[in-house]
Amino acid sequence: MKAFQYVNPANEREAVAALGTERNRILPMAGGMDLLGLMKDYIVSPERVVNLKGLDGTITADGNRQPADGRDRQAADGSRQTGGLRIGAAAKIADVAEHADIRRLYPALTTAAEEVGTPQIRNMGTVGGNLMQRPRCWYFRNEEFNCLKKGGSRCFAVEGENQFHAIFGDGPCHIVHPSSLAVPLIAYGARVRVLGPAGAREIDLGEFYQLPNQNLYGETVLQPNEIVTHVMLPPTGPQKSASYEVRVKQSHDWPLAMASVHLVMDRDVVKSARVVMGAVAPVPWRAPGAERVLTGRPLNEAVAIEAATAAVAGARAMSGNAHKIQIARTAVKRAILKAAGLPVA
Ligand SMILES: Cc1cc2nc3c(=O)[nH]c(=O)nc-3n(C[C@H](O)[C@H](O)[C@H](O)COP(=O)(O)OP(=O)(O)OC[C@H]3O[C@@H](n4cnc5c(N)ncnc54)[C@H](O)[C@@H]3O)c2cc1C
């Protein structure tokens, strides 16, 4: 890889001050699991790398914290937001997987964290790095292919090998979003705290990721001189939630498709639902059709099948990935059944 300068900031403000406004010239690095691979493959060649491993990596109760933007907020069940959890961006994925309060209150996040890669990857990779990892598309990752995302004129997946590519999103670039943590976090209505030269702001994680037709060369609203410092999970009321992933092999890989569901319950009936799919589109993909099917209904297998069918109603296969539609449908159905405590079939 190309030689680079290494900056070791003492705090988050120094980290931001060491960044710049030009894309990919100066890059933050947390665990380095993704960034170092990109650098070794000459997909990015930053002049300077800014170490973020020293940022806050604690997982704490969010208490009665006043949101950074001063706005009042409501939890998914309508109650005022006064609690929840706050995860420092430098927290390890393994810390999330093992955290007792996350397991108790946000089990869909625990499942997703437990299934990321391997124990080594979970011990090294951070929450911030996981949310910001670049797409796994083999054309994007291969130096030989000057694809759309790298300033080229075509998406090679359209006529090439596209068995792992998107079934939603309408291109023109057909990557799938790679973060397993983002999917349950969006289902729970998480927000991220972002720090830049002008100060901190909070962004709904559901509005953080951008489609290729909004931002072809990046995947998020984050500017090159901003970093993610924290993820905030809202408090939960009476709820059921779960994640379900389908993989080609059980470890050391990304899911073929995954789904997270968060169901706010009124006794036995779903009061409101959030259904999010992963690895099927360039961003974590909300399924409003499935959410409508679930709302106001009791949980049983027939409702789960109806909701899962609605979730993939708008999917469009490429030449080699029609199987992903059925797999995504199964992931949604099984996530609902798992959340409901029903047998997963
Ligand atoms: C074999 C294998 C299997 C894997 N399987 C999965 C899987 O199933 N699910 C899954 O989700 N992931 C999976 N991963 C990806 C792995 O989880 C990520 O590589 C890891 O989370 C990245 O974290 P990191 O801290 O090492 O990030 P880094 O490599 O340090 O950074 C990744 C990117 O994020 C940027 N960045 C890092 N931190 C911040 C921040 N705080 N603010 C702004 N930008 C930042 C960096 O500039 C870089 O572009 C797998 C990886 C491997 C190698």
Side-chain angles (χ1 to χ4, degrees):
M1 75 174 80
K2 247 182 71 180
F4 58 90
Q5 191 189 21
Y6 188 73
V7 178
N8 216 356
N11 53 49
E12 56 182 32
R13 298 227 160 258
E14 276 190 30
V16 167
L19 296 170
T21 52
E22 201 183 315
R23 188 182 290 279
N24 290 337
R25 197 167 75 79
I26 304 175
L27 285 172
M29 182 171 82
M33 304 281 308
D34 187 38
L35 184 63
L36 290 175
L38 289 164
M39 289 166 69
K40 285 179 183 168
D41 290 339
Y42 293 94
I43 308 304
V44 294
S45 297
E47 285 169 18
R48 182 192 293 171
V49 165
V50 181
N51 175 27
L52 298 188
K53 280 190 282 297
L55 292 191
D56 183 14
T58 60
I59 302 175
T60 48
D62 212 10
N64 293 316
R65 189 181 59 86
Q66 180 70 19
D69 57 9
R71 278 190 297 158
D72 207 2
R73 211 158 281 131
Q74 292 205 318
D77 63 358
S79 60
R80 192 175 171 281
Q81 176 171 343
T82 53
L85 272 190
R86 184 174 168 89
I87 306 174
K92 300 285 165 44
I93 298 167
D95 299 336
V96 172
E98 288 159 15
H99 198 274
D101 286 342
I102 293 181
R103 188 175 296 274
R104 186 169 54 85
L105 298 167
Y106 310 98
L109 180 58
T110 301
T111 309
E114 281 174 338
E115 294 188 11
V116 167
T118 64
Q120 290 91 333
I121 291 163
R122 297 193 288 275
N123 277 313
M124 200 65 203
T126 64
V127 170
N130 184 273
L131 296 178
M132 289 299 297
Q133 62 179 299
R134 305 297 313 275
R136 300 308 304 180
C137 169
W138 38 42
Y139 297 111
F140 171 68
R141 294 265 164 178
N142 190 323
E143 195 193 346
E144 306 288 318
F145 290 91
N146 187 29
C147 72
L148 271 183
K149 245 189 147 19
K150 293 183 285 193
S153 58
R154 56 192 274 229
C155 172
F156 290 89
V158 173
E159 290 173 10
E161 298 285 335
N162 52 36
Q163 54 268 45
F164 298 123
H165 284 80
I167 52 171
F168 291 100
D170 288 334
C173 150
H174 298 269
I175 53 161
V176 294
H177 176 77
S179 167
S180 301
L181 301 189
V183 178
L185 284 171
I186 291 173
Y188 285 122
R191 303 173 66 80
V192 284
R193 176 179 178 265
V194 161
L195 186 68
R201 61 191 174 120
E202 280 187 20
I203 305 169
D204 184 333
L205 193 60
E207 290 164 14
F208 183 69
Y209 295 106
Q210 293 182 302
L211 285 165
N213 61 18
Q214 298 170 298
N215 180 1
L216 190 53
Y217 303 122
E219 293 82 40
T220 72
V221 298
L222 204 72
Q223 298 301 308
N225 56 2
E226 292 181 316
I227 56 171
V228 174
T229 67
H230 295 86
V231 177
M232 282 81 63
L233 278 154
T236 56
Q239 58 132 357
K240 294 179 188 291
S241 58
S243 291
Y244 193 93
E245 295 186 4
V246 181
R247 293 167 173 269
V248 175
K249 52 185 189 219
Q250 274 319 102
S251 78
H252 211 263
D253 210 351
W254 281 259
L256 206 49
M258 71 175 287
S260 296
V261 298
H262 178 220
L263 310 170
V264 176
M265 303 300 294
D266 182 4
R267 287 184 286 269
D268 292 338
V269 171
V270 177
K271 191 171 155 197
S272 68
R274 285 170 79 109
V275 179
V276 188
M277 291 180 281
V280 295
V283 298
W285 198 255
R286 280 282 291 271
E291 294 170 359
R292 277 193 295 275
V293 168
L294 289 163
T295 304
R297 307 278 291 278
L299 290 169
N300 56 48
E301 191 177 2
V303 170
I305 291 171
E306 197 185 324
T309 304
V312 296
R316 280 227 310 256
M318 302 176 78
S319 58
N321 69 357
H323 58 281
K324 286 192 67 167
I325 298 179
Q326 175 58 31
I327 289 169
R329 179 176 17 227
T330 300
V332 173
K333 181 186 87 175
R334 292 186 180 182
I336 295 167
L337 292 174
K338 193 174 161 192
L342 295 168
V344 172

